[in-house]
Amino acid sequence: MALEPSKEYNSKWHARIDAIRSQIGTIHETSLEAGHFDIAPPGSADLVLTFRNLHNWMRGGYAEQALAACFTALKPGGILGIEEHRGRKDKPQGPKAQDGYVREDYTIALAKKAGFVLDGSSEINANPKDTKDWVGGMWTLPPTLSQGDKDRAKYIAVGEAYNFVLRFRKPKR
């Protein structure tokens, strides 16, 4: 029986971390989800990273609580990294991010509301071929390819969604 995609990914991630454990020190892996926001003791984390999760938190209606949990967990001066599928600037942000895309300015506003200061950004995951108007949202593109074989070559040629990367800092106060 094949592993579920998330379990398979987690298995691969754990194998990679185990291979370099002596180089990276201690990692405390936790879960952040609806109803579970105690991701670390307050003020104990140096770094919190989230990859393509903000749209899920928005869909679940707990984006503000999730970002507040990150803020609480971080030490003063700690860093929050967010990678997310970049939404279109010419359309208002849907509060549930139904298409999987989130506007960068919306993300910045949410993080600032939680108390963070924007500290940097990167275009390392930019993909100008992503028009952000796919019938199945960003899931139309790889790796999900939600449309199955329909126009598969077209979506593979586009590649993954256009993602932004933002770095926030918890003020030292």
Side-chain angles (χ1 to χ4, degrees), residues 66-126:
L67 290 170
C70 295
F71 190 87
T72 298
L74 284 165
K75 295 175 182 176
I79 301 295
L80 169 67
I82 298 177
E83 182 208 23
E84 186 55 74
H85 312 292
R86 176 176 277 144
R88 294 173 61 150
K89 292 180 184 178
D90 62 338
K91 292 187 175 188
Q93 177 63 57
K96 298 287 186 178
Q98 295 293 65
D99 62 0
Y101 289 100
V102 182
R103 287 176 51 139
E104 186 173 345
D105 59 339
Y106 188 86
T107 302
I108 292 168
L110 280 176
K112 284 183 175 180
K113 185 174 182 182
F116 289 101
V117 175
L118 181 63
D119 195 41
S121 63
S122 173
E123 291 297 310
I124 194 166
N125 292 330

Side-chain angles (χ1 to χ4, degrees), residues 44-173:
S44 66
D46 295 305
L47 174 69
V48 174
L49 298 173
T50 181
F51 300 93
R52 305 174 192 185
N53 287 309
L54 184 58
H55 67 275
N56 295 318
W57 300 344
M58 291 169 64
R59 181 168 296 110
Y62 58 90
E64 289 184 18
Q65 294 95 325
L67 290 170
C70 295
F71 190 87
T72 298
L74 284 165
K75 295 175 182 176
I79 301 295
L80 169 67
I82 298 177
E83 182 208 23
E84 186 55 74
H85 312 292
R86 176 176 277 144
R88 294 173 61 150
K89 292 180 184 178
D90 62 338
K91 292 187 175 188
Q93 177 63 57
K96 298 287 186 178
Q98 295 293 65
D99 62 0
Y101 289 100
V102 182
R103 287 176 51 139
E104 186 173 345
D105 59 339
Y106 188 86
T107 302
I108 292 168
L110 280 176
K112 284 183 175 180
K113 185 174 182 182
F116 289 101
V117 175
L118 181 63
D119 195 41
S121 63
S122 173
E123 291 297 310
I124 194 166
N125 292 330
N127 179 1
K129 293 179 186 176
D130 179 7
T131 58
K132 306 168 193 140
D133 59 357
W134 311 108
V135 66
M138 63 85 192
W139 297 280
T140 301
L141 300 175
T144 307
L145 295 166
S146 66
Q147 304 305 301
D149 289 333
K150 183 177 185 214
D151 296 325
R152 183 181 185 90
K154 171 184 168 183
Y155 300 133
I156 288 173
V158 170
E160 292 195 28
Y162 190 132
N163 299 318
F164 60 80
V165 178
L166 300 173
R167 184 180 67 225
F168 295 94
R169 181 181 33 80
K170 180 177 180 175
K172 291 188 178 181
R173 295 188 212 241

